[in-house]
Amino acid sequence: MPRFATLIFAAASFCIAWAFTSAEAQTSDDAAAIRETIQSQLSAMQSDDWAEAFTYASPTIQGVFQSPEAFSRMVIGGYPMVHRPRSFKVGDLTDSPRGPVQVMFFEDQEGRLFIADYLMQLVDGEWRINGVAIRPAPEQTV
């Protein structure tokens, strides 16, 4: 029985290590595509091309807002630091149980700093934004 238990433990350890390695490899391979999706949406928002900006949202987000116009009202009203940032910077890409999270740093027009966690979702081979959580950042972060 101890030999069987050792074999099961070794197999379980291999599977767990493989799962973590696969997630990290996927995140590493897709990092540029994830950054491109976010930067493309930011560019579309800054030029008020809401139809284009809406295409970078996941089907879930598109389902919630239903139209580029409703999406624009949410962004302009709730995320002015994203709509018209003074500056922004790309941070680390991490993994979460819900998918990859791209950290972004924003400075708004008043000079306040924010950290935004972009939850990403792979949809038909393309990365889409599946939610953004924004919080104030300490001064030294950006």
Side-chain angles (χ1 to χ4, degrees), residues 18 28 42 51 67 70 77 86 91 97 101 113 127:
W18 179 80
S28 176
L42 291 171
S67 72
R86 180 182 290 173
V101 174
L113 305 175
W127 286 105

Side-chain angles (χ1 to χ4, degrees), residues 53-80:
F54 197 56
T55 67
Y56 298 104
S58 71
T60 302
I61 300 301
Q62 290 176 353
V64 168
F65 293 101
Q66 299 289 309
S67 72
E69 296 76 23
F71 181 70
S72 73
R73 287 190 298 274
M74 179 274 299
V75 172
I76 293 168
Y79 298 92

